[in-house]
Amino acid sequence: MRRRVVRVALAAALVSLVLVAVPLAIGIRISFLADERAELERSALAAAVQVGPDFTAGDPVELPRPATDGQLAVYDRTLRLRAGTGPQSADDTTRAGLAGHVVQGSYAGSLVVAVPVASSEHVIGVVRASSPMSAVWTRIVLAWLAVLGGAVVALLIGIAVATWQARRLSAPLESLARTADAVTAGDLSARANPTGIAEVDALANAQNAMVDRLSRILDHARRFATDAAHQLRTPLAGLRLTLETADTDPAADPRLAVADALRQTDSLQNTVQDVLELSRLPADGPRGALVPIAALFAETEHRWHGLLADTGRRLVLTVEPPVGERLVPLATCRQILDVLIDNAHTHGQGTVRVTALDVLDTTAVDVEDEGSLTTPAPALFHRGTHIGLSLARTLTESAGGRLTLADPSPTRFRLLLPND
């Protein structure tokens, strides 16, 4: 990633430098040559001013010192060198100057400018100014070297900026990759941190959301496995007890034992269906069929009466008239009551009483036994130590209700359900 960003940045910098440096180099060459010709023309004009009309008759000519490292000379109309320094035989540029206008050209590796000398509107000679091209090219090359040096400096700065930018861009992605590797290794607590780069943060947020959802799914799966094991324990125990009784009692009627086992199997099947249905329970409410509380209590008594009677305990279910026909979610309430009655059966004493009553226009179900509790109420619903009660509270809250310990001695749990 870093190398790729650096390569892209360097390619862009090189293209930019070429696009700037090449036209600049051409411009420097044209500008330096034009400046040199302009300087030669000024020198020739200055010399032409000092040439008198009688120079052809032998009047001496005093030429100024050339402004450049070149030569300055005066030729008459016969193109004979009369003063200064220059070739004895006039070149083509000097001949063209006799036409009466300034002429620029080159000769023998030198820049040449010819300026006519006029007297009484007649051309009487030509001033020739020249400068070696090598001197001009020396200045051009020096200027090109300066441009090249600036380009190298700019390129080095570009490399430094590209490296820094590549590190800045790749570091968040590398951190994101490390976070993904940690999640892959099983650390579902790993989260990507914000970087300040919008695109990378969007990717990090998407990854965090994915990990959050994955964590919830896995946690839900673990909870489902634990809840299923807990809820299936009681019907399996009842089925086993029925079969063991039929196996050990010679006087037992096999047909009655089979019928009882079938009823226990139906109960087990209902529990499995409830657990599967509740495992897909949304956060905003219960699923499944609604049944009257009286029907729910009748089914509950049928399933639990035998189990409690086998341990010498009674089960008393009471439905007060105002709430008997109120509808409640079957799967949710059946599992909640199973948890509460199983808790009374396992940890309580004496008669187990289940009462449905109206409390301020709210349906309340009390599950009471004759035992007592010393565990603080908040700890009773902690999933780590009380899986069943924790599940019962979760199911109650999913249905929009509340489950509380109403009284520790004798033990009484109260389930409050909203009226539909």
Side-chain angles (χ1 to χ4, degrees):
M1 174 67 183
R2 292 188 183 183
R3 293 180 179 177
R4 183 173 299 177
V5 173
V6 171
R7 284 197 299 267
V8 171
L10 287 181
L14 285 174
V15 171
S16 300
L17 288 175
V18 169
L19 293 177
V20 173
V22 171
L24 181 60
I26 296 173
I28 289 174
R29 177 182 176 277
I30 295 173
S31 177
F32 275 41
L33 290 174
D35 289 345
E36 187 65 18
R37 289 190 177 100
E39 187 64 30
L40 290 174
E41 184 176 339
R42 283 193 295 271
S43 298
L45 288 172
V49 171
Q50 297 187 20
V51 176
D54 298 330
F55 89 97
T56 57
D59 190 22
V61 178
E62 294 183 3
L63 297 176
R65 183 180 181 84
T68 64
D69 296 333
Q71 298 175 338
L72 197 59
V74 179
Y75 294 81
D76 58 19
R77 285 192 61 82
T78 63
L79 299 177
R80 186 167 57 112
L81 179 62
R82 300 300 298 270
T85 305
Q88 293 298 321
S89 178
D91 55 27
D92 293 340
T93 303
T94 306
R95 289 189 183 94
L98 292 175
H101 55 269
V102 178
V103 181
Q104 297 179 350
S106 60
Y107 174 76
S110 297
L111 292 175
V112 179
V113 175
V115 176
V117 179
S119 176
S120 300
E121 299 183 358
H122 295 284
V123 177
I124 61 174
V126 178
V127 175
R128 178 185 185 273
S130 65
S131 177
M133 285 288 294
S134 59
V136 181
W137 275 108
T138 299
R139 292 195 294 274
I140 292 174
V141 170
L142 290 175
W144 284 355
L145 290 176
V147 172
L148 180 61
V152 171
V153 172
L155 186 60
L156 293 176
I157 294 175
I159 292 174
V161 172
T163 303
W164 171 77
Q165 191 69 14
R167 185 180 299 110
R168 180 175 178 269
L169 291 175
S170 62
L173 294 178
E174 292 171 356
S175 176
L176 195 60
R178 289 193 295 270
T179 301
D181 290 340
V183 172
T184 303
D187 183 10
L188 296 182
S189 64
R191 296 293 184 274
N193 297 319
T195 63
I197 302 175
E199 293 79 3
V200 178
D201 286 346
L203 180 59
N205 292 335
Q207 177 174 298
N208 289 342
M210 177 190 69
V211 175
D212 288 339
R213 180 170 177 78
L214 179 62
S215 299
R216 289 194 297 270
I217 291 174
L218 292 178
D219 184 64
H220 180 75
R222 287 191 292 265
R223 285 174 176 265
F224 169 73
T226 303
D227 296 342
H230 183 275
Q231 294 302 95
L232 293 175
R233 182 188 61 189
T234 298
L236 282 174
L239 178 60
R240 181 181 181 84
L241 179 62
T242 299
L243 295 176
E244 288 178 348
T245 301
D247 183 57
T248 57
D249 187 1
D253 188 345
R255 289 177 298 178
L256 293 178
V258 170
D260 196 11
L262 288 175
R263 286 194 297 273
Q264 296 288 345
T265 303
D266 291 338
S267 176
L268 179 61
Q269 183 176 2
N270 290 334
T271 300
V272 171
Q273 290 176 348
D274 288 347
V275 171
L276 289 174
E277 182 176 342
L278 295 174
S279 69
R280 300 187 296 270
L281 195 66
D284 56 351
R287 291 181 179 179
L290 300 177
V291 298
I293 288 183
L296 173 66
F297 272 38
E299 181 188 8
T300 302
E301 182 176 19
H302 178 75
R303 286 185 294 112
W304 280 98
H305 178 78
L307 287 173
L308 288 170
D310 287 338
T311 58
R313 299 177 63 183
R314 295 178 56 207
L315 174 64
V316 178
L317 293 98
T318 305
V319 180
E320 294 186 358
V323 298
E325 298 302 319
R326 290 181 183 175
L327 299 179
V328 293
L330 174 61
T332 302
C333 291
R334 180 160 55 193
Q335 295 305 312
I336 294 172
L337 288 181
D338 281 352
V339 169
L340 296 178
I341 295 175
D342 179 68
N343 183 75
H345 178 220
T346 304
H347 305 288
Q349 298 177 6
T351 301
V352 178
R353 302 181 185 276
V354 182
T355 306
L357 64 157
D358 181 83
V359 177
L360 300 176
D361 294 329
T362 299
T363 302
V365 178
D366 289 348
V367 179
E368 180 180 2
D369 63 74
E370 298 174 0
S372 61
L373 290 176
T374 58
T375 305
L380 286 174
F381 300 98
H382 186 266
R383 187 172 183 83
T385 54
H386 298 83
I387 296 175
L389 291 175
S390 173
L391 171 63
R393 171 167 280 186
T394 300
L395 293 176
T396 302
E397 291 174 351
S398 71
R402 289 184 59 195
L403 176 63
T404 60
L405 176 64
D407 195 345
S409 182
T411 304
R412 179 167 60 92
F413 288 92
R414 169 159 288 184
L415 170 66
L416 297 174
L417 295 172
N419 294 329
D420 291 331

